[in-house]
Amino acid sequence: MVHITSPLKRPLLLSAFLGLAGCATTVDGPARAIPGPPALNDSNVFCEASRTELVIPVGGAFAEGSLVKDFYTGNTARVRNGQVRMTPDDNAEGLLLLEPVDETVHAFTWAGATVYFAVTDRFANGRADNDINYGRQKDGKDEIGTFHGGDFAGLTQKLDYLADLGVNALWITPPFEQMHGWVGGGDRGDFRHYGYHGYYALDFTVPDANFGTREEFRTLVQQAHQRGIRVVMDVVMNHPGYSSLQDMQTFNFGALHSGFEKHLPEHWGDWRPESWENHHAYHAFIDYDHADWRNWWGKDWVRAGIADYDTPPSASVDPVRGSLAFLPDFKTESTNPVELPVFLRNKESSRAEHLDNATVREYLITWLTDWVREFGVDGFRVDTAKHVEPDAWRELKARAQEALDDYRERHPDTALPSEEFWMVAEVFPHSVRKTGYFDAGFDAVINFDLQAEAKAGARCLQAMEPVYREYADKLHGDDPFNVLSYISSHDTKLFAQIAGDDNTLKKRAAAALLFTPGAVQLFYGDESGRAFGPTGSDPHQGTRSAMNWQAIEAGEVSDILNHWRTLGQFRQRHPAIGAGEHKLISQQPYVFSRQHGDDTVVIAFGSGN
C-alpha cells in the first residue's frame, strides 16, 4: 500500500503522499528452555566473526562417520564423536553452512520460499524508448515521484541475476495502466507524484506503457518459469487511482469551475504551481460538485465524496467501506449489477468488456484473474487486504486457481513451476500468528515484526535464537501456517537506513533474514546495500530509490552481494531452512539445525562474544 497524507479538503481526490576457536558448549533439553545470552538483548552488541577453526556439535543431525560439506567453502569434514572441525571462510562472517556431501535436490515449498520484491519502475530499464508515455514528464529535479524507466524488459534481463541469488519467486508491483497524470506528493505537495509504483490503477485490463507490452509481460513470466522462478503479481481491489488534471482532460470526466480553463496550459497536465503555491493548488480549479463526474468511475462503483457519489466513512470506523489515504473506495461489498464506467467504455485501448449482471467485485476479479489465465501468473500479493471483505478474497482465490488450471491445461509443454495458486496478504501490522485471513483464501500474511528484530541479529546472529525458535514453533506446529518476513519495505524503511554506513551490518543482515523460518522477502537492493533516496515530505518515497546497478557493476558492493548470493543459494537448496523444525544445538559457537522430511542442515556461527 502507498501511504498518503493530506491536510486538504475534498479528501478522495486530493494529492498523494501521498566465531572463536575452542570447545563447544552444547545444550540438552527442549530449545524453548534455553535462555538467550543476556548481553544480546542489546541491539548495539557486535560479535566479532571467527576466522579460526571451530568445533561444531551436530546434535545428531548428521550420522556418526558421515561426511558433511560447508556450502560456503566447499570444504568437507567427517562427523566424529558428534562433532566436526571446520574453519569459516574469511568472507563468511563466521558462518558454516553444513549439508550432507551427497545432497540431493529437494522439492520447493512456499513454506521455505525466497521472494524477491522489485518495484518495476525503479529496478531495471530494459527499453529506453518506452520511458515517456501519456504526456508524463520528468520534473528535472530529484525525480521523487516520476517514472524512472524500469520495465518488464529490464526485469527479464535481470532474471539470471535473481536466479544467482537463490530467488524462487519474483513479486512485482501492479502492472496495470496507471492514471496518466500526477497528483501533489507528500504533505507539502512538494513534488509531482505519478503512479510509478502501480497502486494508482486507471485500467486493470492492460499494462501501463511505461512498463511495457503484453508480449513483454508474457516473456517475463515465461523466462522466469524456465529458471524455476514463480511470478507473484501485486494486486489492488480496494481502490483505483486518483483523478488528475491530465486524466480529466484526456477522458472527459469531471469539470473545472467556469472560466478556470484560462488558468491552465493547453495540456492540463503541464500545469505548474506559482512560486507561492505547491502541487496541491490545482484543486482550486476543479468543480467537484459537477454532474460530469458521472463520466469517471461513477457512484455505483466507488465512494468518493464528490458530486452524487457516496461519502465513505473513516477507515478507522469502518475498515472495509472507509477510504484509505483519500483514495476512491471500490464498492466490492455491493450485490447490485453495474455497467462499465463511462470512461472505460470510451477508452479505445481498454480490454474491459461489459459483463452481464456483474457486480463491482465480479468485474475486478475477472480483470485480475485474466492475467493469470493469459500469462500463467503463479500468485498474488494482495494490497490492503483488511480493507476488503473476506468473501471477496475467497472468491478471488478460487477464480485465480481456476484460471491457473486453465492456463496449465492449454500449455501442457510449458515450464510451469506452480500447480497451486498462492496468495499472500498485506495486513498492517500483522505478526506471526494465525488469524482469519487464512480462512479467507490466503496462504500467507506479511509479517511486519522481523524488520525491528533483525537489527540485533545482524550484529550478532545469536540474538535471533528466540525469534527463530518462536517463529518455527508457531509456523510448523500442530496447526501450520506461513508468513512472509522482510527487513526492508517500500512502506516502512530500508535496512540500509538502519545500518547507516556500516557495510558489515548490510552484509550480515543476509543471515538474519535468510535463516528465518517461513517464507522471506528480499526487497530489491537488500543484497547490494541500495541507499535511501530523495523523499521530499513523504518519508516512504526514498525507500523506492533506483536500483544501484552502477555500484554492482563496478564491484563496489561485491563483498555484500557475494555473501547474499551464497546464503541465498544455500536456502534455495534446502527448503528445511524455512519449512523445517528448528533445534538449538549449541550457544557457543551458536549452532542450530533445521529438518524437513529428508532435508537436514546445520548452521553454525562462531563469534568472539
Side-chain angles (χ1 to χ4, degrees):
M1 172 60 186
V2 176
H3 299 287
I4 301 162
T5 55
S6 174
L8 305 177
K9 298 179 180 179
R10 293 291 186 185
L12 298 187
L13 289 176
L14 295 187
S15 62
F17 61 141
L18 193 154
L20 282 179
C23 297
T25 303
T26 58
V27 181
D28 297 320
R32 61 180 176 273
I34 304 164
L40 297 181
N41 294 328
D42 181 355
S43 63
N44 293 317
V45 170
F46 197 98
C47 292
E48 180 182 355
S50 174
R51 296 185 179 184
T52 56
E53 186 181 72
L54 299 174
V55 177
I56 308 298
V58 297
F62 302 128
E64 184 71 13
S66 63
L67 195 62
V68 298
K69 179 180 69 176
D70 171 31
F71 182 75
Y72 212 106
T73 61
N75 296 335
T76 61
R78 198 167 295 279
V79 179
R80 302 294 188 193
N81 299 317
Q83 301 174 334
V84 296
R85 291 177 175 268
M86 302 189 83
T87 302
D89 185 270
D90 286 350
N91 296 309
E93 296 299 330
L95 289 170
L96 290 164
L97 314 177
L98 304 183
E99 63 181 10
V101 166
D102 57 349
E103 189 56 47
T104 58
V105 176
H106 300 282
F108 168 84
T109 172
W110 281 107
T114 303
V115 181
Y116 192 94
F117 173 27
V119 175
T120 300
D121 175 69
R122 303 299 172 89
F123 186 61
N125 191 347
R127 281 181 49 203
D129 62 336
N130 67 2
D131 289 357
I132 302 295
N133 296 281
Y134 313 122
R136 295 168 180 157
Q137 300 176 7
K138 300 291 187 179
D139 64 22
K141 298 177 182 178
D142 291 329
E143 309 298 344
I144 295 170
T146 59
F147 281 82
H148 286 198
D151 48 28
F152 304 144
L155 284 165
T156 303
Q157 292 169 12
K158 298 299 183 182
L159 287 173
D160 286 338
Y161 170 88
L162 299 181
D164 285 345
L165 280 170
V167 168
N168 39 38
L170 170 61
W171 157 17
I172 60 170
T173 43
F176 322 118
E177 184 175 335
Q178 300 295 292
M179 62 182 196
H180 293 182
W182 53 269
V183 289
D187 288 341
R188 299 196 299 269
D190 48 341
F191 60 91
R192 288 182 166 203
H193 189 170
Y194 289 98
Y196 71 87
H197 39 63
Y199 298 104
Y200 296 164
L202 175 79
D203 186 343
F204 290 84
T205 69
V206 293
D208 193 280
N210 274 72
F211 302 148
T213 67
R214 300 182 74 78
E215 288 310 309
E216 286 169 331
F217 187 80
R218 191 186 318 278
T219 297
L220 168 62
V221 177
Q222 291 176 345
Q223 289 294 312
H225 285 171
Q226 288 180 19
R227 291 163 174 81
I229 298 174
R230 294 138 189 85
V231 176
V232 177
M233 196 174 86
D234 211 325
V235 299
V236 188
M237 216 158 73
N238 177 69
H239 59 265
Y242 299 99
S243 167
S244 73
L245 284 172
Q246 190 165 322
D247 294 293
M248 289 172 63
Q249 185 179 35
T250 300
F251 298 106
N252 194 32
F253 60 70
L256 303 176
H257 289 295
S258 179
F260 274 59
E261 291 88 346
K262 65 184 179 182
H263 298 294
L264 294 174
E266 180 181 357
H267 300 287
W268 294 358
D270 294 341
W271 176 82
R272 296 284 191 278
E274 299 291 347
S275 60
W276 61 88
E277 297 176 314
N278 64 32
H279 288 86
H280 296 315
Y282 72 87
H283 292 288
F285 305 148
I286 300 174
D287 182 356
Y288 285 111
D289 294 318
H290 200 281
D292 282 353
W293 284 103
R294 63 192 169 201
N295 297 330
W296 191 35
W297 286 96
K299 67 177 182 178
D300 294 334
W301 274 79
V302 300
R303 286 172 279 264
I306 59 171
D308 63 347
Y309 290 56
D310 293 335
T311 299
S314 167
S316 61
V317 174
D318 189 339
V320 172
R321 302 188 187 195
S323 168
L324 281 178
F326 315 120
L327 285 155
D329 185 67
F330 278 131
K331 293 184 173 182
T332 51
E333 81 291 343
S334 176
T335 59
N336 297 323
V338 295
E339 298 293 327
L340 267 180
V342 173
F343 84 96
L344 285 179
R345 279 182 248 160
N346 297 329
K347 184 175 179 286
E348 293 182 2
S349 63
S350 182
R351 297 168 66 92
E353 297 178 350
H354 170 76
L355 302 177
D356 290 338
N357 297 313
T359 63
V360 171
R361 182 194 298 181
E362 289 166 340
Y363 270 103
L364 291 170
I365 289 177
T366 297
W367 293 342
L368 296 176
T369 57
D370 276 352
W371 290 78
V372 182
R373 179 168 285 101
E374 179 172 354
F375 302 109
V377 171
D378 304 271
F380 288 155
R381 178 270 187 184
V382 171
D383 187 70
T384 58
K386 69 180 177 183
H387 299 290
V388 175
E389 58 282 349
D391 285 347
W393 301 131
R394 277 189 284 269
E395 185 176 348
L396 178 66
K397 175 65 176 295
R399 292 274 299 277
Q401 184 64 58
E402 290 172 3
L404 181 59
D405 292 342
D406 179 61
Y407 182 88
R408 293 179 62 84
E409 183 176 345
R410 290 183 291 106
H411 300 82
D413 299 323
T414 304
L416 298 168
S418 294
E419 294 184 10
E420 302 297 324
F421 193 83
W422 190 71
M423 279 193 358
V424 57
E426 180 225 18
V427 183
F428 185 82
H430 206 280
S431 58
V432 182
R433 54 198 173 94
K434 193 166 189 180
T435 60
Y437 293 99
F438 294 90
D439 297 323
F442 291 105
D443 301 286
V445 178
I446 293 175
N447 166 36
F448 287 81
D449 284 354
L450 187 70
Q451 184 174 62
E453 296 167 333
K455 180 182 179 181
R459 292 182 173 275
C460 204
L461 190 62
Q462 288 101 313
M464 295 304 294
E465 174 56 30
V467 177
Y468 291 165
R469 183 176 64 244
E470 178 190 2
Y471 283 22
D473 287 350
K474 288 181 176 179
L475 295 175
H476 311 315
D478 294 335
D479 188 16
F481 62 102
N482 199 10
V483 295
L484 182 63
S485 301
Y486 69 87
I487 59 170
S488 297
S489 164
H490 65 313
D491 274 344
T492 55
K493 61 178 63 175
L494 299 182
F495 189 83
Q497 293 173 266
I498 298 170
D501 296 328
D502 194 331
N503 285 338
T504 300
L505 279 185
K506 296 174 187 177
K507 182 180 178 181
R508 287 190 176 187
L513 175 65
L514 294 174
F515 299 155
T516 296
V520 297
Q521 170 229 297
L522 281 71
F523 192 33
Y524 73 107
D526 274 345
E527 75 281 7
S528 58
R530 176 174 62 90
F532 188 73
T535 204
S537 62
D538 176 359
H540 298 126
Q541 293 296 327
T543 66
R544 307 162 203 158
S545 57
M547 181 63 176
N548 55 334
W549 293 117
Q550 185 174 355
I552 292 172
E553 292 162 5
E556 297 170 8
V557 294
S558 294
D559 188 48
I560 299 171
L561 179 56
N562 290 337
H563 187 70
W564 278 83
R565 282 176 173 159
T566 303
L567 270 58
Q569 291 170 18
F570 185 64
R571 180 182 171 93
Q572 182 188 49
R573 288 165 61 83
H574 297 286
I577 294 174
E581 176 188 3
H582 174 85
K583 179 181 178 182
L584 176 63
I585 299 173
S586 167
Q587 288 278 21
Q588 184 62 20
Y590 176 47
V591 185
F592 61 88
S593 65
R594 298 279 170 82
Q595 183 171 5
H596 179 66
D598 62 353
D599 182 17
T600 301
V601 297
V602 169
I603 296 170
F605 172 65
S607 73
N609 292 67

